[in-house]
Amino acid sequence: MDYKIVYRAFLLVILLLMQKCNSISRKLNTKFLSSDDENCKSQKNTLLHINAEGPNDSLHYLWNFIDNPSVLVALTNKSSKLDIKWTVDPFSKLKQTTDCLPEKISFNDSAIFSYGLSIKKIYEFNDANDNGVINSSSSANINVLNPSYFVWYVRNKVIGDETVELEMIGHSYYDEEKNLTRTGSIALLISVFGELDRFNKQPFMLHSENTTQIDLSIDNFETNKTFANSRFAIELLFVSDGEPDIVIPVNVKRTINDEHTPGIFKLVEINTPKNENTSMYLQWRPISYMTKERDVTDSTDVVYYPLGKSKDAFDDATNSILLPYYKENINKIIARKLNVSFGSNGDGFYKKTNYTTWTLLLGYSHSLDERFTSGTIILISNLIGLPFLLLILYSSIIYIRKPSVRE
């Protein structure tokens, strides 16, 4: 018997189990929040608080769909409690939607680290050059759509101890100032996780207990009739504790070509520098699917652009969940804008399928490398461990029977 093979198999099983044990799990506690004001009843189920409890700390997620869709994430001590102060004006009969946002967000113990993200703008651009790049379009070929002009509602939700999924639909777009309406919808599938695993939808992003995932779909959205070759792009604002002027690169790293996303060899990621040993990151695969089936044959590119520093962080964070938390220190944190566009030469533009997607991970600590998930670890452990145990059992029987054979 080759004991070196047995030893290596045993070592692999141990390493896989160690990886599983080193993955911290979190218990998710979920609650919808809203102001008691009569004018805010229509905003029910548009502000979600998830307390992801770990062994020694908690990650608080505040997902908001009042005005600009946004998320605030705060790492706190396990005993920290969320404190929200709402704006209430008894003399106001007609309130703006921003009045339904909290006036102030805090924790009874200061957060260890915090970060957040807001969807600032959606661009429709006429791609006359068929290259998927919005920079090559003149201002006359670009329409700016405001996410706060959508009406948002919950289409589906899954609330559990290990996974929370909230599918929000933005529809009935109406820009009162321009008297502009658009049919169609934008879907945001928001997911928060309690453990390391891979998401069950293309592009099968690997997530951990410290991440939230945003899956955006632009579905059958009415385009500008004067644009022959419409494509879409979005502008994000992300903020984080840290030095405001620090340089933050956008990195691209090669990944394995696996059974989950064949042919996709890249991950794009943004990691903020560590602030007192903590940091945040954004991560995505540069692929957009043009059909709901999300087959790789019906995919196109995601183009990203250099990060821009926010010139007025207070103004950029307005109409989001970020301002009520950061407004007293808004000029002392990292605030950057990220633009991405969807499309590439020869894909037929948005009009080919009237559908496009983008999936983004927002996480605490360092970005994830490709690794074995919990299911894979169990599968490999069974495939290797069971034969290994049978081999040990067989060897033991042979060893015990040897003296009797000699007699």
Side-chain angles (χ1 to χ4, degrees):
M1 181 174 60
D2 192 340
Y3 288 98
K4 288 184 178 179
I5 295 177
V6 174
Y7 172 75
R8 288 171 183 168
F10 176 74
L11 185 61
L12 178 58
V13 172
I14 295 298
L15 289 173
L16 290 172
L17 292 175
M18 284 177 64
Q19 178 180 313
K20 171 65 176 174
C21 292
N22 288 334
S23 177
I24 299 172
S25 61
R26 294 185 181 274
K27 181 182 177 182
L28 307 182
N29 303 290
T30 305
K31 185 178 181 181
F32 285 97
L33 307 173
S34 64
S35 169
D36 292 331
D37 190 86
E38 283 290 324
N39 296 298
C40 299
K41 283 187 175 181
S42 63
Q43 304 291 345
K44 185 180 180 182
N45 292 346
T46 54
L47 179 57
L48 178 69
H49 175 222
I50 302 170
N51 181 8
E53 294 184 356
N56 303 308
D57 56 32
S58 288
L59 274 172
H60 293 264
Y61 298 89
L62 271 170
W63 267 106
N64 166 66
F65 292 89
I66 303 169
D67 288 336
N68 290 344
S70 53
V71 60
L72 169 70
V73 188
L75 177 72
T76 71
N77 296 320
K78 196 172 181 179
S79 59
S80 286
K81 302 296 182 184
L82 176 68
D83 184 20
I84 291 184
K85 181 180 178 182
W86 301 91
T87 301
V88 178
D89 181 3
F91 301 102
S92 175
K93 295 182 179 180
L94 182 64
K95 284 175 169 287
Q96 302 297 319
T97 54
T98 48
D99 292 331
C100 298
L101 278 169
E103 179 184 345
K104 184 176 182 180
I105 298 171
S106 60
F107 295 89
N108 60 337
D109 292 330
S110 297
I112 301 168
F113 183 71
S114 65
Y115 55 95
L117 178 143
S118 173
I119 300 178
K120 285 288 298 173
K121 297 173 183 176
I122 300 170
Y123 297 103
E124 179 194 358
F125 64 102
N126 190 32
D127 187 9
N129 298 321
D130 192 15
N131 59 10
V133 179
I134 192 172
N135 286 351
S136 64
S137 297
S138 66
S139 57
N141 283 321
I142 299 176
N143 289 157
V144 180
L145 305 170
N146 190 330
S148 66
Y149 293 161
F150 286 96
V151 177
W152 293 93
Y153 74 95
V154 179
R155 182 159 69 183
N156 291 303
K157 59 183 176 181
V158 177
I159 309 296
D161 292 342
E162 297 180 352
T163 302
V164 173
E165 289 184 8
L166 183 68
E167 185 180 24
M168 300 295 299
I169 304 299
H171 66 108
S172 302
Y173 184 88
Y174 176 57
D175 184 338
E176 184 177 2
E177 184 178 338
K178 298 178 181 178
N179 192 26
L180 175 67
T181 61
R182 296 285 186 96
T183 59
S185 65
I186 291 181
L188 286 172
L189 177 62
I190 307 304
S191 305
V192 176
F193 313 98
E195 62 180 5
L196 177 73
D197 210 339
R198 197 177 292 276
F199 197 63
N200 59 6
K201 181 186 291 188
Q202 290 276 20
F204 298 119
M205 294 292 290
L206 182 67
H207 60 74
S208 77
E209 70 285 355
N210 295 326
T211 58
T212 181
Q213 180 175 286
I214 307 156
D215 188 90
L216 176 146
S217 302
I218 303 176
D219 186 7
N220 202 32
F221 193 75
E222 181 182 357
T223 56
N224 188 320
K225 291 179 175 58
T226 66
F227 288 2
N229 301 317
S230 286
R231 298 191 190 278
F232 287 93
I234 63 171
E235 179 181 279
L236 302 178
L237 170 74
F238 71 89
V239 301
S240 167
D241 290 338
E243 173 57 44
D245 297 323
I246 203 154
V247 176
I248 304 175
V250 180
N251 299 313
V252 179
K253 63 184 181 183
R254 308 291 290 184
T255 65
I256 59 175
N257 179 22
D258 60 18
E259 74 278 13
H260 300 287
T261 48
I264 306 171
F265 294 98
K266 293 180 181 178
L267 272 174
V268 186
E269 58 186 31
I270 299 169
N271 290 273
T272 62
K274 288 188 175 181
N275 179 50
E276 298 182 358
N277 293 320
T278 55
S279 61
M280 60 84 72
Y281 69 90
L282 301 168
Q283 187 179 70
W284 67 93
R285 290 189 184 273
I287 185 171
S288 171
Y289 298 96
M290 300 180 68
T291 61
K292 293 183 179 181
E293 292 72 27
R294 301 196 179 203
D295 193 288
V296 71
T297 58
D298 295 317
S299 63
T300 189
D301 294 341
V302 173
V303 181
Y304 66 91
Y305 304 83
L307 294 181
K309 184 181 178 183
S310 173
K311 295 179 181 179
D312 188 342
F314 188 96
D315 183 64
D316 285 333
T318 300
N319 297 341
S320 76
I321 200 68
L322 305 178
L323 192 62
Y325 181 77
Y326 284 109
K327 61 183 173 183
E328 295 178 1
N329 298 298
I330 195 69
N331 295 316
K332 299 177 182 179
I333 62 173
I334 294 170
R336 299 289 186 274
K337 291 182 179 180
L338 169 67
N339 289 316
V340 297
S341 60
F342 315 112
S344 58
N345 177 263
D347 64 6
F349 306 100
Y350 181 74
K351 63 186 176 184
K352 180 180 179 181
T353 61
N354 288 322
Y355 190 82
T356 196
T357 69
W358 186 46
T359 303
L360 173 71
L361 275 180
L362 175 68
Y364 158 67
S365 190
H366 57 84
S367 56
L368 296 174
D369 294 317
E370 289 294 333
R371 66 179 78 175
F372 291 116
T373 62
S374 302
T376 306
I377 290 171
I378 294 171
L379 177 62
I380 294 178
S381 298
N382 287 336
L383 290 176
I384 296 177
L386 184 58
F388 174 73
L389 291 175
L390 291 174
L391 185 60
I392 293 295
L393 180 61
Y394 174 76
S395 300
S396 301
I397 293 172
I398 294 298
Y399 180 80
I400 293 170
R401 292 187 60 187
K402 269 186 178 181
S404 59
V405 169
R406 288 173 183 171
E407 291 175 1

